[in-house]
């Protein structure tokens, strides 16, 4: 499964795996793909350095990357406390009442929220980069469009390629103009922040819009046949995220959440602003229903919503309150119906890819060995 981009990065298969779990990212790299560690949950530089040290020890000298969340426009002098102070009392009361309705216990006295998305704050992301560039990462991805120009330049100075996600051809052209090296065309089906154009339409539009830049297809991809389709549409690889959540290496720390993912169908997700303030595909739960209810106050814009619900999400996760328990995940969740190792997933992906290529060759009237 070789493309020009995979050869440039020195990987066996043009499969890029995004994950918040170091063990999964390292396993993806060892399996011949390209593991990309999500940095948004690292609020302390030392924690990121610890896990990058671990990645170094468990990737056998093979390449891997990092995914951060940075807005393209820099805002100076805004602290987390400043942002917290902007959250209306009405929204805080709505969170309290929703948790009380479902009997969600409080955290223990002095226990800090385990789920903070201060990584959405630019100064935190910049601190992550100060750590990351001390390691031999080969790719820096940004989930919120093109990173600031100085970050792109800094990455290039370190010999690091820069990737950015796009939900439309217009966004992709902005990335190209900003000096981005790889565009991830993320379709509507994807988990997390996503636009409104489906992958089958989006991928060839983006390929055409930014040619000759390499494009990765993302959104709703979870089989080798779908990888073959993405490459047939002009992509130089695929970007997979949701598929790794039910691997044995994933560190969800919640059997209840794993069970919900394994049982979910492709129609059991929703694009909601409940988690971060921007539309993000996730499991549909009574928590997302409450925030999407017109009778409620509605979600706040990013990053206010993420800071508002951080402790609530920690409590829901810690006590495994099933009706409210969810996670960002794409429509491919309908295929995630068994726990497998990352290597087993790769074996299925490569086998399915080979079968798809053989099938097309037969349709075209040629041997797969020609």
């Amino acid at each position: 499964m070789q493309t020009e981009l995979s050869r440039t990065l020195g990987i066996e298969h043009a499969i890029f795996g995004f994950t918040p779990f170091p063990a999964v990212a390292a396993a993806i790299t060892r399996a011949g793909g390209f593991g990309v560690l999500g940095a948004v949950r690292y609020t302390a530089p030392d924690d990121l350095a610890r896990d990058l040290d671990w990645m170094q020890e468990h990737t056998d000298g093979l390449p891997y990357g990092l995914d951060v969340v940075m807005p393209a426009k820099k805002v100076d002098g805004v602290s987390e406390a400043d942002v917290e102070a902007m959250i209306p009392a009405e929204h805080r009361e709505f969170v309290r009442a929703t948790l009380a309705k479902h009997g969600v216990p409080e955290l223990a006295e002095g226990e800090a929220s385990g789920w903070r998305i201060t990584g959405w704050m630019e100064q935190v992301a910049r601190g992550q980069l100060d750590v990351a560039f001390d390691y031999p990462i080969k790719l820096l991805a940004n989930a919120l469009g093109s990173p600031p120009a100085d970050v792109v330049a800094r990455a290039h100075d370190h010999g690091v390629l820069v990737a950015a996600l796009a939900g439309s051809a217009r966004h992709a052209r902005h990335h190209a103009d900003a000096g981005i090296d790889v565009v991830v065309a993320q379709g509507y089906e994807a988990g997390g922040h996503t636009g409104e154009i489906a992958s089958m339409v989006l991928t060839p539009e983006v390929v055409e819009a930014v040619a000759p830049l390499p494009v990765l297809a993302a959104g709703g991809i979870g089989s080798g046949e779908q990888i073959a389709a993405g490459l047939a549409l002009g992509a130089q690889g695929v970007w997979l995220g949701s598929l790794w959540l039910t691997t044995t290496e994933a560190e969800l720390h919640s059997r209840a959440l794993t069970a919900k993912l394994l049982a979910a169908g492709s129609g059991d997700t929703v694009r909601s602003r409940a988690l971060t303030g921007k539309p993000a595909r996730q499991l549909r739960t009574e928590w997302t229903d409450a925030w999407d209810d017109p009778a409620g106050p509605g979600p706040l814009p990013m990053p206010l919503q993420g800071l508002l619900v951080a402790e609530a999400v920690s409590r829901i996760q810690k006590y495994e309150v099933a009706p409210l328990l969810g996670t960002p995940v794409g429509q491919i969740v309908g295929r995630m119906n068994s726990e497998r190792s990352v290597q087993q997933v790769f074996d299925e992906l490569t086998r399915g890819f080979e079968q798809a290529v053989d099938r097309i060759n037969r349709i075209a009237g040629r041997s797969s060995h020609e």
Side-chain angles (χ1 to χ4, degrees):
M1 207 181 298
Q2 287 279 305
T3 66
E4 183 178 349
L5 179 60
S6 69
R7 286 188 287 271
T8 296
L9 290 169
I11 58 177
E12 183 180 359
H13 302 299
I15 298 174
F16 294 72
F18 163 78
T19 174
F21 307 124
V24 176
I28 291 168
T29 286
R30 291 197 307 271
F34 190 95
V36 181
L37 179 65
V40 72
R41 68 191 181 101
Y42 294 99
T43 57
D46 288 348
D47 290 340
L48 178 59
R50 177 201 65 218
D51 282 356
L52 288 176
D53 283 338
W54 189 93
M55 289 278 292
Q56 277 294 103
E57 295 171 5
H58 292 84
T59 48
D60 300 336
L62 298 168
Y64 62 90
L66 192 74
D67 179 277
V68 297
V69 178
M70 297 190 74
K73 296 180 180 178
K74 182 176 173 58
V75 180
D76 291 313
V78 179
S79 68
E80 183 179 341
D82 293 332
V83 177
E84 289 261 19
M86 299 167 63
I87 297 174
E90 174 191 16
H91 285 74
R92 294 190 185 276
E93 172 57 24
F94 182 76
V95 169
R96 187 204 64 77
T98 303
L99 296 178
K101 175 183 176 182
H102 291 274
V104 182
E106 298 275 355
L107 296 176
E109 185 174 352
E111 181 178 359
S113 166
W115 189 89
R116 299 290 284 174
I117 58 167
T118 50
W120 303 112
M121 307 286 288
E122 183 183 349
Q123 64 267 33
V124 175
R126 286 182 176 274
Q128 294 166 348
L129 295 181
D130 290 338
V131 172
F133 287 131
D134 287 336
Y135 293 82
I137 62 171
K138 299 299 182 185
L139 180 76
L140 175 68
N142 189 49
L144 279 185
S146 304
D150 68 297
V151 172
V152 176
R154 186 179 179 191
H156 287 164
D157 287 345
H158 283 83
V160 176
L161 297 180
V162 181
L165 277 63
S168 71
R170 177 175 60 84
H171 292 156
R173 282 189 286 267
H174 287 322
H175 295 337
D177 292 342
I180 299 302
D181 305 292
V182 181
V183 177
V184 181
Q186 180 167 274
Y188 170 84
E189 308 95 327
H193 297 119
T194 185
E196 299 181 350
I197 305 173
S199 299
M200 184 64 72
V201 174
L202 179 66
T203 301
E205 285 188 351
V206 171
V207 167
E208 181 179 353
V210 301
L213 286 184
V215 172
L216 299 177
I221 300 173
S223 72
E225 291 83 355
Q226 290 171 306
I227 294 174
L231 299 186
L233 292 172
Q236 288 198 30
V238 293
W239 177 275
L240 310 182
S242 299
L243 192 63
W244 316 110
L245 289 173
T246 52
T247 57
T248 54
E249 292 92 345
E251 304 159 26
L252 285 180
H253 302 304
S254 171
R255 294 306 304 173
L257 179 54
T258 298
K260 289 187 76 169
L261 288 169
L262 294 174
S266 56
D268 293 328
T269 68
V270 63
R271 285 174 76 245
S272 172
R273 295 171 52 216
L275 190 61
T276 69
K278 285 185 176 290
R281 187 172 298 285
Q282 55 202 282
L283 279 181
R284 181 177 181 178
T285 66
E286 293 189 28
W287 178 256
T288 62
D289 286 348
W291 282 103
D292 295 339
D293 188 341
L300 295 167
M302 180 185 280
L304 299 180
Q305 182 71 11
L307 293 173
L308 168 65
V309 305
E311 181 181 318
V313 171
S314 287
R315 289 164 60 185
I316 291 166
Q317 291 177 345
K318 176 178 180 178
Y319 299 109
E320 297 192 333
V321 183
L324 305 179
L325 191 62
T327 184
V329 69
Q331 292 180 332
I332 198 62
V333 71
R335 294 182 63 102
M336 296 158 49
N337 49 24
S338 66
E339 292 185 79
R340 300 161 294 164
S341 69
V342 168
Q343 184 61 62
Q344 287 173 316
V345 172
F346 258 82
D347 290 343
E348 291 186 12
L349 292 175
T350 54
R351 185 167 55 248
F353 176 81
E354 291 169 355
Q355 291 170 348
V357 171
D358 286 346
R359 186 181 309 120
I360 294 300
N361 279 328
R362 289 195 302 271
I363 292 171
R366 61 173 67 96
S367 167
S368 60
H369 302 294
E370 289 181 9

